[in-house]
Amino acid sequence: MKTVILFIRSALMLPVFILIVNTGLCYATAPGAPSNLRTCDKIKPVGTNNKPFFGWYVNDADKNELQSAYQILVANSLAKLNAGKGDVWDSGKVPSSMQNYVNMLGNAVIPATRYYWKVRSWDKAGVAGPYSATSYFDTGLFTADDWVGAKWVKRNTLDKDDYTYYRKNFTLSKKTVKRAVVYVAACHNYELYLNGKIVSKGSSNHYPQYAYYNAFDVTTAVKAGVVNNLSALTHWYGGGQGRATGSRGFILKMVTEYTDGSKSLAGTDNSWKQKQATYWTAGQPARNGEGNGYLDRIDARNAINGWNTVACNDANWDAAVEIGAPPVAPWVNPLRADLTRVIEQTIKPVSVKSLGAGKFIIDLGKIYAGVPSINFTGGKAGDVVNIRGAYLLDDDGTASTKSGNQSTNLAYYFTLNGKQSMFQPLVYLAYRYIQVDNSPNVLTVDNVQFITRHFELDESKAQFTSSHNMLNQVWNLMIHSLVQGAQEGFVDTPTREKGAFLGDGSYQGPPAMSTMGERAMNHRVLLEFLDSQDQYWPDGRLNAVYPNVDGKRDIPDYTQEYLIWVWDYYLLTGNVEFLKTNYAKLKKVADYVHAYTNPATGLIHNLAGGGGAYKYGIIDWPQSMRYGYDMGTESRTVIDALAYIDYDIMAKIAAVLGNAPDKEIYNTYASDIKKAMNVKLLNTDGVYIDGLMTDLSQSKHISQQANMYAYATGIVPNENRNTVFAGIKERKMASGMVTLRYLPEAIGQAGDGEHLIDLYTNTTWDGWAKTVAKGGTMTWEAWDADVANESLSHPWGAIGLLAMQQYMLGVTVLKPQYELVQIKPLDFGDQLKFAKGVFPGDRGNLAVNWERNTQRYLMTVTIPANVTAKIYIPKCGKPGNSIWVDGKQITGIQEGEYILAGNIGSGVHRFERSVK
C-alpha cells in the first residue's frame, strides 16, 4: 500500500497544507469479514419488533480504509443463508458508509420467528470482502392476535404490596426440540423460572396502554418428553416515582418448536395456580413519600421450598383469575417489545465488623443499588433480626438514620425459622452500609453477599486513565454513578426517587452512550418521553418524570433539554429513522418554546410550565445550587440560551431530513433570539445578567450559569468573549447539576486546559474532587449534599464525563456515527502529563493515548475502519508547524495554538512534536 504526501503552497507563500492520501492501488487487500453483528443494538436478540435494523464492525487491515458499500442477506433458514440466498431480504449492493441503524426494508418478517443474516462490505476501492459469520434474531409478538393461547391473569386481592406466586406443570412431546421461547409481561416486576432455575427478571413500570413484554430463549432449559414447570413471582405495588400505578396482572406464552415443524404452546389462563407469597408480610408502611415501595418484613417460616419446581404440591393453591385475552383493559394496545435487560452480580462486602451482642456492620465499599443476601443459622423460630441500610456511619460506628438517607426508611425485618434461612428482598435500594442487629450467628464475608443490579451498562468499556490521580478517581466516580443509576430508566436516584426525570436522563444517557456504548436504553427512554407528549401535552411539552404516579407534570427547561439529548443520540448513532419517525413531535417541542416569545424583546418570557420552585423553569437545583440566580426574572437568560439551542438543533434535524423550509424557519428563530440576547441581556460591563424583570429592566445579578450557557453555545459576540469567559472563570464552580454540562464545555471552548483540570480536581472548590475527598462514592444531588441532607446517590453529576472525553482526550464527533471525528486534546501545561482512553462506537473502538514531557508531545490514535479523524496537535508553546506523522516529518497548518495534521483514516497512527 502506498502513501502519498501532497505539499500544496499558494502563490502568496501561505503556510503549507498537508493532505495524506492512501492511494489504495494494487497493494490494497480486500476487507475482512465484518464482525460484532447486532440487530436492534443487540447480539442475537430475542423478541424484536417488526422493524429490525442491523449493525456490524468493518475489518480491514489496510490503513485509511472506508466502507463504500454493503450487502445484507436475511433468510428464514440457515441452509438458505449458507447457500447465499436472502429469501427474506437481499439488500443488494448498497452504496453507503452506514454500519448501524440499517433498516430492513419492507414488512417481510413475521412474529415469533428466527431469522438468519450476514453482511459483507466493499472498501473504498470497490473491492468486496467475504460475508460475515452468520448471526440471527428472533422476532417477538407484534399484535394482540400473536398472544393467542395466553390470557392476562391475577390474584384477587386488595394488598397494596402484592407478592404472588404463579405456576404450571406441563408435558412436552418426546420429539426433538428445535427452539423454545417464552414471552412474558407483568405489572410491575417479575422473576421467571423454568424447572426451578431463574430465566430472568424484568419489569414494566410504564402506563398499561404502553406496557412492555420481554422474550427469552429457553431451548436449553426445557426437557422433552417429561413434565416441565413454569413459575413466576410477581410484584405489584401501586404507583410511585418512575412507576405508573398500572394494574396487577401477569401474562406468559411459551412456544416450543420441534424439528419436524410442529409446535406446542403453554400460556397463562385459569389452569395456572396462584398463591400469595407470604414470605413477604403484607400491610407494611411506605419507605417514604415518593412511592418507592414498602418496608420489607420477611418471614422465613412462610418460605415455600421448591415452589418453582415440578415436585411442588399445589393442590391447595387457587386457580389464577383470568382478566382476559389481549387486548383487554387496561392493556388496550399491543404490548411493546423491550430488549433492555437487567444485569445482576453478586459481590462480597469489603468488611463485616462485629459490634458485639449479635450486631454487625457490613461495608460494601461503595454505594451500590441492589439487595442484601444474608445467610442466617439458628436462633428461635419467630425471632426477628433487624436490618437497615445506610449511606453513612454515625460517630459510634453504627449505621446512621440521621443523615444521608434521603428521607427514606432503609430498614428491613427478618423473622427466623429457627434453622437455616436466607434473607433476600426483591425491591432494590442503594446504600453503602448494612447494619444487622440480633443475628443468631456470626456474620462474615462468606455468609453475607450483596446482589447488585442495573440495566445494560458495561463498566469495562469505560476506559480512561491519566497522570492525575484525582482526575482518575473523578472519572471512576462518575462511571460508577452512571451504572448504579441505570435501572428501569435513568433514575433520579436508586433510593429516594426511582423516577426517570427528563433532566436527569439527559445528563446520564449521553455519557452512557459515549463511554460505554449504550444504545437500547437511550432509545427506549427517549421514546417514552415522547409518549408523555401524546398522553398529556398537546402543546409540545414533555413530562418532567415519566412514567409516574402523579400524571401530568412538567418542568419547562427539562422539556428544552430533550432536543439536546436527541441530537447527542443522533450524532453518536446516526439513527436517521428516529428523527424521521418522530419529527412532528420534535418540532412541537421547539414550537412550544417559541410560542412564548415576547415580540417586544425577542426573548422567551414566562415559559409556561412547572409550579412552585419550578415555575417558568428550574434553572438549577437544589436551591442552594442556584448560587443566587435571580429567579425573579421574567425572561431568564438560561431559558433563552436553551431556546437558541433548541432552534439550532431543529434546523439541523430539518437539514438531515431534507426539509429546507423548516431549516430556514428554525435558523431564523435561532438568529433572532441570539441577536435579542446580545441586545437585551448583556450589561454595560459586557457580561450577561440573569434575565429581564417584569418591567423589562435588567436583573442586577450576574451568574456563572447565564454566562457559561451563552459562551458554550456561541451566542457571545467576539468582542465580549474574553470578558464573559473571565467572569465564568473567576466564579470557579458556581453551578449546580442541572446546568453543569455547559461549564466545562465553556472552559474547553476557551482552550483553558489548566483551569479545566482545576475544575475537576481542586478539592477546595465545589465539584467532583470535593465529593471524592469527602468520601463520596457516587455523584451527589448537590455539591453540599452531605451537609444539606440531599441525595448522596444522584447520577446526574456524571455529565462531566463528556468534557473529559471531548477536551482531555480531545474527541468530538463531527459527523453522525463517528464517520468523522475531531481529535484535539487541550494543552494542559504541567497539570496533565498523559491521558489515554477508549470510545466504544458503532464502528468500533477509537482509542487516544497522548503524553507530554520536556522533550516532546507524542499522541497515538487507533482509528477503526470506516472512521476518519481530523487530527490536531497542541503547539506546546513552540514556534513552527513541524510534526512527525507515522515516522514522516510534515508541516501542518496552524490554527491558533494548534497544528492541523490533516484528515487521517483508519489504523494506528503516531504523531510527534518536539517541545524543546
Side-chain angles (χ1 to χ4, degrees):
M1 179 169 54
K2 295 182 178 179
T3 298
V4 177
I5 302 179
L6 303 179
F7 295 85
I8 305 173
R9 185 182 299 273
S10 74
L12 298 177
M13 300 300 291
L14 294 176
V16 175
F17 176 77
I18 299 87
L19 177 64
I20 301 177
V21 180
N22 184 319
T23 61
L25 298 175
C26 58
Y27 298 98
T29 60
S35 60
N36 193 28
L37 273 62
R38 292 100 64 206
T39 308
C40 301
D41 286 318
K42 295 286 184 176
I43 296 174
K44 299 178 179 178
V46 181
T48 72
N49 64 21
N50 63 341
K51 299 290 184 183
F53 57 85
F54 304 104
W56 58 89
Y57 283 178
V58 170
N59 296 297
D60 199 315
D62 295 335
K63 285 191 174 184
N64 307 309
E65 266 299 355
L66 299 172
Q67 173 187 284
S68 62
Y70 64 80
Q71 182 176 15
I72 299 172
L73 299 180
V74 181
N76 58 19
S77 75
L78 188 57
K80 290 178 182 177
L81 192 70
N82 288 339
K85 296 178 181 179
D87 63 317
V88 176
W89 185 51
D90 182 344
S91 71
K93 182 180 179 181
V94 180
S96 173
S97 69
M98 289 293 287
Q99 279 182 240
N100 198 5
Y101 303 95
V102 175
N103 293 281
M104 183 173 174
L105 302 182
N107 296 294
V109 296
I110 60 176
T113 302
R114 173 164 292 179
Y115 293 95
Y116 300 88
W117 72 282
K118 60 185 179 181
V119 60
R120 63 173 171 167
S121 65
W122 282 258
D123 66 14
K124 66 181 182 183
V127 178
Y131 275 105
S132 66
T134 298
S135 187
Y136 64 81
F137 62 96
D138 293 338
T139 55
L141 306 180
F142 302 158
T143 68
D145 289 343
D146 300 330
W147 285 89
V148 167
K151 297 179 180 178
W152 282 97
V153 297
K154 66 177 180 178
R155 176 174 68 90
N156 277 338
T157 178
L158 296 178
D159 290 345
K160 60 185 179 182
D161 201 19
D162 175 5
Y163 289 91
T164 300
Y165 291 133
Y166 294 93
R167 54 175 280 113
K168 175 70 180 288
N169 285 345
F170 61 98
T171 303
L172 287 181
S173 167
K174 293 181 180 181
K175 294 182 288 188
T176 303
V177 174
K178 177 182 178 182
R179 189 174 70 115
V181 177
V182 61
Y183 309 89
V184 58
C187 181
H188 294 101
N189 304 97
Y190 68 84
E191 293 183 352
L192 178 64
Y193 297 86
L194 178 58
N195 294 327
K197 295 183 179 180
I198 187 75
V199 173
S200 190
K201 301 180 181 181
S203 62
S204 183
N205 288 352
H206 212 344
Y207 295 88
Q209 66 268 35
Y210 303 128
Y212 296 112
Y213 74 93
N214 302 128
F216 306 99
D217 188 322
V218 292
T219 306
T220 60
V222 297
K223 300 175 181 179
V226 298
V227 178
N228 290 256
N229 174 268
L230 278 167
S231 293
L233 167 65
T234 66
H235 182 215
W236 176 91
Y237 54 124
Q241 292 279 36
R243 188 177 70 252
T245 302
S247 181
R248 63 192 88 210
F250 168 60
I251 189 170
L252 177 148
K253 180 175 181 177
M254 193 175 90
V255 180
T256 304
E257 300 179 27
Y258 303 98
T259 53
D260 66 359
S262 62
K263 297 180 180 181
S264 64
L265 304 179
T268 46
D269 57 20
N270 60 11
S271 69
W272 281 58
K273 294 295 188 74
Q274 53 86 3
K275 184 178 181 63
Q276 180 183 3
T278 54
Y279 181 74
W280 288 268
T281 304
Q284 301 305 304
R287 290 194 178 275
N288 64 19
E290 301 289 349
N292 74 345
Y294 299 89
L295 290 181
D296 288 271
R297 185 176 292 273
I298 294 175
D299 194 333
R301 298 171 300 178
N302 294 335
I304 303 175
N305 295 325
W307 68 272
N308 53 6
T309 65
V310 171
C312 175
N313 183 357
D314 58 14
N316 294 325
W317 289 35
D318 294 328
V321 178
E322 289 187 0
I323 301 171
V328 61
W331 302 281
V332 294
N333 295 320
L335 294 173
R336 298 174 170 184
D338 178 16
L339 296 179
T340 62
R341 298 289 185 263
V342 67
I343 299 168
E344 290 190 336
Q345 179 182 5
T346 300
I347 64 171
K348 289 186 175 183
V350 297
S351 68
V352 179
K353 181 180 180 181
S354 174
L355 301 181
K359 182 181 293 186
F360 297 86
I361 289 292
I362 300 160
D363 183 2
L364 302 177
K366 293 180 180 180
I367 296 167
Y368 286 97
V371 297
S373 181
I374 306 174
N375 285 297
F376 293 105
T377 303
K380 295 180 181 179
D383 284 354
V384 177
V385 179
N386 296 331
I387 305 167
R388 69 174 183 267
Y391 281 74
L392 303 169
L393 298 179
D394 287 335
D395 292 339
D396 63 358
T398 60
S400 180
T401 59
K402 303 173 184 176
S403 58
N405 294 344
Q406 307 175 44
S407 302
T408 300
N409 187 337
L410 299 177
Y412 307 92
Y413 303 95
F414 187 57
T415 303
L416 300 173
N417 62 9
K419 297 176 289 186
Q420 186 169 347
S421 54
M422 177 182 288
F423 168 75
Q424 187 172 308
L426 183 65
V427 178
Y428 73 91
L429 291 166
Y431 39 72
R432 174 175 175 173
Y433 301 100
I434 306 168
Q435 180 168 324
V436 178
D437 296 343
N438 196 35
S439 175
N441 56 294
V442 175
L443 299 183
T444 69
V445 294
D446 294 322
N447 56 20
V448 174
Q449 297 178 323
F450 192 84
I451 303 172
T452 68
R453 57 101 72 187
H454 59 84
F455 273 73
E456 295 301 334
L457 301 186
D458 182 353
E459 197 166 350
S460 68
K461 292 183 178 181
Q463 299 182 38
F464 173 90
T465 190
S466 74
S467 59
H468 202 301
N469 182 53
M470 178 54 76
L471 191 62
N472 300 337
Q473 292 183 67
V474 165
W475 170 274
N476 292 333
L477 172 80
M478 289 190 278
I479 291 295
H480 182 69
S481 301
L482 273 185
V483 172
Q484 301 310 309
Q487 299 295 335
E488 292 81 8
F490 296 107
V491 299
D492 175 276
T493 167
T495 296
R496 184 186 71 226
E497 296 176 288
K498 300 179 180 181
F501 277 80
L502 176 50
D504 298 62
S506 72
Y507 271 25
Q508 295 170 56
M513 288 188 284
S514 65
T515 63
M516 288 175 270
E518 203 292 311
R519 296 291 184 267
M521 178 71 81
N522 271 270
H523 185 248
R524 198 199 79 193
V525 176
L526 283 168
L527 289 173
E528 285 179 3
F529 279 109
L530 292 180
D531 289 339
S532 78
Q533 190 184 82
D534 286 341
Q535 187 174 4
Y536 294 126
W537 303 107
D539 68 350
R541 280 179 264 181
L542 305 168
N543 247 43
V545 56
Y546 191 82
N548 209 37
V549 66
D550 54 7
K552 189 175 183 179
R553 172 186 174 193
D554 78 312
I555 298 174
D557 29 1
Y558 278 16
T559 294
Q560 291 182 286
E561 290 281 352
Y562 181 78
L563 290 179
I564 302 173
W565 188 0
V566 166
W567 191 247
D568 287 333
Y569 173 76
Y570 171 67
L571 277 181
L572 291 173
T573 67
N575 188 355
V576 178
E577 190 64 28
F578 178 89
L579 303 182
K580 186 185 303 181
T581 303
N582 300 294
Y583 183 68
K585 296 178 183 179
L586 303 181
K587 277 188 63 175
K588 287 176 71 173
V589 172
D591 292 346
Y592 146 71
V593 176
H594 190 260
Y596 292 89
T597 304
N598 186 329
T601 64
L603 302 173
I604 307 300
H605 286 246
N606 292 333
L607 182 59
Y614 303 162
K615 192 174 184 180
Y616 304 135
I618 193 173
I619 303 301
D620 229 327
W621 190 258
Q623 295 189 31
S624 63
M625 294 294 98
R626 288 174 176 157
Y627 293 91
Y629 195 100
D630 190 347
M631 299 300 288
T633 50
E634 180 177 293
S635 179
R636 298 171 178 170
T637 304
V638 167
I639 297 293
D640 290 317
L642 284 168
Y644 170 79
I645 300 171
D646 285 342
Y647 304 153
D648 181 61
I649 288 173
M650 277 310 306
K652 292 175 181 175
I653 292 173
V656 169
L657 300 181
N659 190 328
D662 279 1
K663 175 187 174 183
E664 181 65 27
I665 289 170
Y666 290 110
N667 273 333
T668 300
Y669 287 173
S671 176
D672 288 348
I673 199 167
K674 178 178 180 179
K675 291 175 184 175
M677 289 181 69
N678 290 328
V679 170
K680 300 292 184 180
L681 301 178
L682 279 169
N683 69 8
T684 55
D685 294 326
V687 294
Y688 291 88
I689 43 85
D690 286 357
L692 300 183
M693 311 305 291
T694 303
D695 63 0
L696 303 188
S697 64
Q698 290 190 337
S699 167
K700 302 301 182 184
H701 189 260
I702 300 167
S703 66
Q704 187 178 63
Q705 294 102 325
N707 285 275
M708 72 193 195
Y709 264 83
Y711 194 96
T713 55
I715 292 171
V716 183
N718 289 336
E719 61 270 23
N720 295 90
R721 288 185 69 80
N722 290 340
T723 303
V724 169
F725 182 69
I728 296 168
K729 186 174 178 178
E730 72 181 13
R731 287 168 171 80
K732 301 175 182 176
M733 174 70 81
S735 297
M737 303 298 184
V738 177
T739 58
L740 182 58
R741 174 174 183 165
Y742 290 92
L743 178 55
E745 175 70 20
I747 297 168
Q749 283 195 21
D752 196 330
E754 295 187 30
H755 185 67
L756 188 64
I757 295 295
D758 279 340
L759 187 76
Y760 279 81
T761 63
N762 192 317
T763 59
T764 66
W765 296 4
D766 282 353
W768 300 277
K770 192 174 184 179
T771 298
V772 171
K774 288 186 171 186
T777 60
M778 281 185 67
T779 55
W780 295 349
E781 183 172 9
W783 303 126
D784 61 354
D786 57 330
V787 296
N789 199 27
E790 301 287 358
S791 167
L792 300 180
S793 58
H794 234 73
W796 59 0
I799 190 64
L801 290 164
L802 295 184
M804 292 184 70
Q805 292 184 298
Q806 186 173 357
Y807 297 111
M808 296 174 191
L809 292 175
V811 178
T812 302
V813 179
L814 300 181
K815 289 187 178 181
Q817 204 179 93
Y818 284 73
E819 179 183 353
L820 176 65
V821 300
Q822 174 181 281
I823 301 179
K824 187 180 182 181
L826 292 186
D827 186 349
F828 298 99
D830 294 330
Q831 292 276 55
L832 204 61
K833 299 298 185 182
F834 74 83
K836 59 182 178 179
V838 173
F839 298 74
D842 288 342
R843 301 189 179 198
N845 290 338
L846 184 141
V848 177
N849 183 353
W850 66 262
E851 60 180 88
R852 177 181 177 175
N853 56 37
T854 58
Q855 303 295 315
R856 64 177 185 172
Y857 184 97
L858 175 64
M859 183 168 72
T860 302
V861 298
T862 303
I863 304 171
N866 204 29
V867 174
T868 301
K870 188 177 183 181
I871 307 285
Y872 289 86
I873 305 297
K875 285 181 63 67
C876 302
K878 181 185 177 183
N881 301 339
S882 176
I883 56 175
W884 290 78
V885 179
D886 293 335
K888 293 183 173 59
Q889 188 173 17
I890 67 170
T891 302
I893 296 177
Q894 181 173 338
E895 292 187 13
E897 296 302 313
Y898 288 85
I899 301 169
L900 172 62
N903 285 2
I904 310 296
S906 61
V908 179
H909 300 280
R910 180 184 173 99
F911 304 84
E912 187 175 351
R913 175 169 168 80
S914 172
V915 299
K916 289 173 41 177

